[in-house]
Structures are given as C-alpha cells and as structure tokens.
Amino acid sequence: MTTYGSRGEASGLGRVFFVGAGPGAADLLTVRAIRVLGRADVVLHDALMTDEVLDWAPGAELIPVGKRCDGASAEQAWIDRALVDAARRHAVVVRLKGGDPTVFGRLDEEIDALDAAGVRWEIVPGITAASAAAAQAGHSLTRRGIARRVDIVTPRVGRGESGHGDGRDDGDWAEDLSPSGTVVLYMAGRIAGQCARTLLARGFPGGTPVVAVRAASWPGAATERTTLTALAAAGLPVDARPVVLLLGQALGSRPAAEVVRRRLAAVAVGQAPVAVDAPVPVPVA
C-alpha cells in the first residue's frame, strides 16, 4: 500500500490510517486492517462498531466519532480537527470506518484536513455493505444476461447539500439508474417506501425483486424479500439495525426458499491465526 499526503509533511507528526471495518463481523476485516489496529495508539471510530472489532486494537485509546441520523452525531469539522490533533500526539492513528472508507465515508473531507496539516495518510480497504448484504442474502449482484451493472447510491443528503439535510428523498439520486442492472441503496431503511415510489415513477417495473438486508454479517442479521410495488405501499418496519436494499432482476433469479436451504450459516474463524503484532509496512517516500 502507498502512503499519501507527503507534500508539506510536518516533522514529528504521526500517520493516519483510514481503515475499513467491513460490515460488522470481526473476522471479515482484512489481515492488513487487523495488523494496523494492533499497532494503533488511538482509534477514532464510527457508530455501530462492535466490541469484537474494537478488540483488535487492545492498546489504543478509543474515541467514538459516529454519525447517526436518529441520534447524537459528531460534527464533521470536529472530526477533521480531532484527526489532526491525534496525529500530533501519536505515531499511529486509525480512523476506523464502517464498510469501506471510500464509499459514503466523507473520506475526502478528512483527507483534505490532513493534507492541509502536512499529515501523511493511507487507506486500508474494507468490505462494503453492498457485498455483505448480497452475501447475507445468498445472491450475486450481477448475473450474466440479466444484470451487468451495479449502482450504489444513497437517497440521503447531508446538511447543506441540495438545499436541505433532513434525510428527505429529493429524487435526484434515481435519475441515471437503470432497471436492467442491480441497484443498492444505502441509508434508505426509514424512507424505503418513498424510495420505491421514486423508482416506480422513473419507470422501474412494479414486480422488480427487492431484498432488504438488516445487520449483514451480525448475529441478528435478517433478510426480507418483497417487490417494488409492495415496498412502495408498505415501506419497511423501522428498527435500530442498519438496512441495505438490493433491487433488480438478479435478486429474483432463484426461489427464496432455495436460497435459504442451500446457504451455509456463517462460521466465525476466530482470532488466533492472525498475528496482530506484525509490523505495519511503511513505504519510504
């Protein structure tokens, strides 16, 4: 991996690793992520981070900086400042993000803050929610002859974006989507019915298969199957678990009962085989 942000690097500063925590299961982190966490002095982590994931950083100070649409959230400007401050005090700083840091993770804003302060940084990829949800449901996101594109979108907007930031569906997100592919909706559980109505208005067939996956890879994971028309009429029950919506003909290629029957339950592989004290490679500029 390459460490970036070297121009204007200030002396005496630590390095920040943007680490993808994956969907929640501790054994779905990459080996590199585990090694970096094992050497971390401080970890600034998102909400919904499990204790099992945080246990990979036994010697680190843990600072929650998560954002929740229905609860207390850390302001982005505060997170940016906290990262720079942590790099001034520690050698190895981890910004632990759910899923993959490059997907809806406000990554560029935090990188800009580090670059301005001369702090070097590196991205450690993680499993994004789209992949985790598809695995939980027992489906491929693509299927030859049925779906050859995947669109990952969110109907939510942040404060100041598109003129509002209250989580409403402004419809703009659906403009370029195609019924011939697979659509993955992030952060749409609470407005799932409204999203379905938007897609119907954009020409998606009412019978389009929909799979709602709650807490993919977690012990309390659940999968619900419906159609776009039914979702538009009833929406989804709301609970505290994160929801990913998968839509498209690829999701209806096999009977749901067969998917459940053939899919093996996830088996935790444990933590013992992974050496958390392995050194973090630091490339020479």
Side-chain angles (χ1 to χ4, degrees), residues 216-234:
S217 84
W218 294 28
T223 301
E224 305 161 51
R225 299 173 186 275
T226 184
T227 65
L228 203 58
T229 294
L231 183 63

Side-chain angles (χ1 to χ4, degrees), residues 8-238:
E9 179 183 7
S11 62
L13 293 180
R15 297 190 180 185
V16 175
F17 293 82
F18 294 98
V19 175
D27 55 359
L28 286 181
L29 272 74
T30 65
V31 173
R32 182 171 183 83
I34 291 170
R35 288 175 174 169
V36 171
L37 285 168
R39 294 176 60 84
D41 299 305
V42 58
V43 175
L44 294 87
H45 63 86
D46 281 355
L48 299 176
M49 203 64 63
T50 64
D51 290 340
E52 290 77 14
V53 169
L54 295 176
D55 284 346
W56 287 119
E61 175 188 0
L62 303 177
I63 302 176
V65 294
K67 298 178 182 294
R68 297 301 307 277
C69 63
D70 57 348
S73 298
E75 291 292 336
Q76 187 60 50
W78 183 89
I79 297 173
D80 298 343
R81 292 193 299 270
L83 279 173
V84 173
D85 180 65
R88 288 172 176 157
R89 296 183 293 112
H90 301 286
V92 179
V93 178
V94 170
R95 176 66 174 98
L96 190 61
K97 293 176 177 286
D100 181 88
T102 67
V103 181
F104 301 128
R106 294 182 179 260
L107 180 63
D108 286 331
E109 297 167 60
E110 295 174 14
I111 285 176
D112 288 346
L114 296 180
D115 282 346
V119 178
R120 303 189 75 179
W121 50 269
E122 181 178 309
I123 299 171
V124 181
I127 296 175
T128 191
S131 300
Q136 188 73 50
H139 278 288
S140 172
L141 291 172
T142 59
R143 186 173 175 86
R144 187 169 51 184
I146 295 178
R148 62 178 185 177
R149 62 179 282 181
V150 178
D151 292 295
I152 299 176
V153 296
T154 179
R156 291 193 173 273
V157 293
R159 292 185 180 91
E161 297 177 45
S162 299
H164 55 78
D166 57 6
R168 290 179 294 160
D169 170 12
D170 58 9
D172 292 347
W173 58 272
E175 283 187 355
D176 299 320
L177 300 182
S178 169
S180 64
T182 300
V183 177
V184 184
L185 294 184
Y186 283 42
M187 298 171 279
R190 293 177 179 271
I191 54 174
Q194 187 175 353
C195 291
R197 292 189 289 274
T198 296
L199 289 173
L200 289 173
R202 300 278 182 176
F204 276 64
T208 300
V210 179
V211 179
V213 181
R214 299 178 186 268
S217 84
W218 294 28
T223 301
E224 305 161 51
R225 299 173 186 275
T226 184
T227 65
L228 203 58
T229 294
L231 183 63
L236 286 178
V238 175

